[in-house]
Amino acid sequence: MRFVRQNDKKVVKRASFKAGSGGVRGVVVVLAAAAVVSGCAGGAGGAGGPDSSGKPEKSRKSQKSDDSVERGTPGPVHGQSGRRPPDASTARALGAYALKTRRAHAARVAAAKRWGLAALPLLPPAPPARKPALRTREGFEVDGHLEDGLPPVFTTVPTRHKVVFLTIDDGAEKDPAFLRMMSDLRIPYTAFLSDYLIEDDYGYFERMRDRGVVLDNHTLNHRYLPALSYTAQKREICGMQDVIEKRYGERPTLFRPPYGSYDQDTLRAAKVCGIEAVPLWNEEVFADRWEYREGDRELRPGDIVLSHFRGEGDWKGTMRDMIRRFLNRVTAEGYAVARLEDYL
């Protein structure tokens, strides 16, 4: 049996036709009257054919338009769509939506300035209607991976959109300003938590959950799993499933092994505990630098980015500094930050 260990360095303007507005309608009415007098609306010549006087008969389409005029309901004028302008309630709803959109944009601009970003973060596209098929990255397989239906292990989500996914591990640092920053900027992220680091303040991560963050499994005690027996690994993974379900009301489906290290027993235990996927990472961002799995040091669509809940005691900066470094880089390269769970 072999195990895998990862690096732990840490409008069109529609022409509106107003009934009774003169001009064109007056011509239509005159033509309609002429049609009635001459008897061409249904003459012997058929649609578009001559009548007994030798004059061309009006088409059924023109006749229908004239009938509409006679009934007092104007038909569309040539070159116009024929759609009526929105009524007052629709116009009010459109106006309210436009106002809401402008205010939301203004709030994002103000937040970007307040938190010291170089540019306004890009908005991600709508989540895919059909989720991409997840496959284990080549070289990350364990014995029997496919045959036993073990959870896929991947570092990038298949997508053509220029999006990346931010994931943050463990739970050691609990910075209230970080929560405010991420809420103000509306940046999605996923947290992978270890119980021994969050148990002193479960409430911090409850506030995080209430802001829409999904809380996932990073084991009870952050131990190096391949050194443990299957039973011990299962205890670490299933035990953390129980903690998150009890404290936050939902059992995770995503799991990240500590240090990115796992073996066949890890994935077997994860599957038994209800885990469906094992997202690792392709880049790691710190307060003062980036590190890369790929030699070209380039971001790719769908890349998963790792960071940690760390403060100035561990880093050369704060979590807010890390977010600024992260957002400035991805925005400058034309990427948006999307919600990982929307693609899985």
Side-chain angles (χ1 to χ4, degrees):
M1 181 185 303
R2 62 188 176 90
F3 67 84
V4 182
R5 179 173 185 175
Q6 305 303 323
N7 187 357
D8 182 37
K9 288 184 178 180
K10 310 209 186 48
V11 203
V12 175
K13 289 187 178 178
R14 295 191 177 93
S16 59
F17 174 51
K18 185 176 180 182
S21 58
V24 175
R25 185 180 175 186
V27 175
V28 177
V29 172
V30 171
L31 290 174
V36 172
V37 172
S38 67
C40 68
D51 64 5
S52 59
S53 66
K55 296 181 180 179
E57 183 183 3
K58 296 172 69 68
S59 67
R60 289 191 179 94
K61 185 175 181 180
S62 299
Q63 176 183 343
K64 185 175 180 180
S65 177
D66 292 346
D67 290 344
S68 298
V69 173
E70 290 181 358
R71 290 194 299 269
T73 305
V77 176
H78 178 69
Q80 296 182 346
S81 67
R83 297 181 182 177
R84 296 183 181 181
D87 56 26
S89 61
T90 302
R92 284 195 298 271
L94 290 173
Y97 176 78
L99 179 61
K100 181 179 178 180
T101 301
R102 288 196 299 272
R103 286 177 174 173
H105 177 75
R108 292 181 66 245
V109 169
K113 182 177 181 180
R114 181 164 57 251
W115 293 105
L117 300 185
L120 181 66
L122 301 175
L123 291 173
R130 178 179 295 180
K131 303 297 187 280
L134 299 175
R135 296 181 177 87
T136 295
R137 177 170 172 162
E138 186 176 355
F140 288 60
E141 308 92 342
V142 298
D143 294 338
H145 205 137
L146 189 61
E147 297 83 349
D148 295 340
L150 301 179
V153 181
F154 49 94
T155 63
T156 299
V157 177
T159 180
R160 290 177 293 179
H161 293 142
K162 288 193 72 172
V163 297
V164 295
F165 306 100
L166 177 62
T167 62
I168 310 179
D169 281 8
D170 63 45
E173 179 73 9
K174 304 168 184 68
D175 180 5
F178 167 78
L179 292 183
R180 294 195 300 272
M181 181 182 192
M182 300 302 274
S183 295
D184 285 353
L185 295 171
R186 300 180 181 273
I187 302 299
Y189 61 101
T190 298
F192 288 89
L193 304 178
S194 292
D195 188 52
Y196 87 105
L197 292 170
I198 70 170
E199 62 183 353
D200 62 333
D201 191 356
Y202 287 124
Y204 179 84
F205 299 95
E206 184 175 356
R207 294 192 293 276
M208 187 178 292
R209 178 210 61 191
D210 293 344
R211 288 165 164 82
V213 178
V214 177
L215 307 180
D216 283 309
N217 191 325
H218 199 43
T219 73
L220 287 172
N221 298 294
H222 206 276
R223 299 181 67 185
Y224 177 66
L225 295 179
L228 305 181
S229 67
Y230 169 79
T231 301
Q233 292 197 52
K234 181 181 175 184
R235 184 164 53 247
E236 281 286 324
I237 300 169
C238 287
M240 193 61 198
Q241 294 285 88
D242 295 339
V243 168
I244 293 178
E245 183 177 31
K246 177 182 177 180
R247 294 289 177 177
Y248 306 113
E250 202 162 331
R251 203 166 181 84
T253 59
L254 303 183
F255 162 67
R256 176 174 286 161
Y259 316 110
S261 299
Y262 59 95
D263 62 8
Q264 184 186 46
D265 282 345
T266 310
L267 300 185
R268 286 177 55 228
K271 180 180 179 181
V272 169
C273 296
I275 295 300
E276 298 176 4
V278 181
L280 296 184
W281 62 90
N282 225 29
E283 295 86 21
E284 183 171 1
V285 61
F286 299 81
D288 61 340
R289 69 189 189 279
W290 283 73
E291 293 187 356
Y292 305 84
R293 188 182 296 276
E294 311 295 346
D296 60 10
R297 302 170 65 87
E298 296 289 337
L299 292 176
R300 292 167 171 77
D303 271 359
I304 300 171
V305 181
L306 165 67
S307 193
H308 289 83
F309 290 97
R310 293 284 189 271
E312 292 179 290
D314 303 288
W315 278 352
K316 295 178 181 178
T318 65
M319 289 195 69
R320 286 155 285 151
D321 295 325
M322 177 273 289
I323 292 299
R324 276 187 283 271
R325 180 171 294 274
F326 169 73
L327 289 176
N328 286 341
R329 164 81 187 278
V330 300
T331 303
E333 295 193 17
Y335 283 85
V337 185
R339 186 175 180 268
L340 178 62
E341 290 76 14
D342 288 340
Y343 283 72
L344 303 184

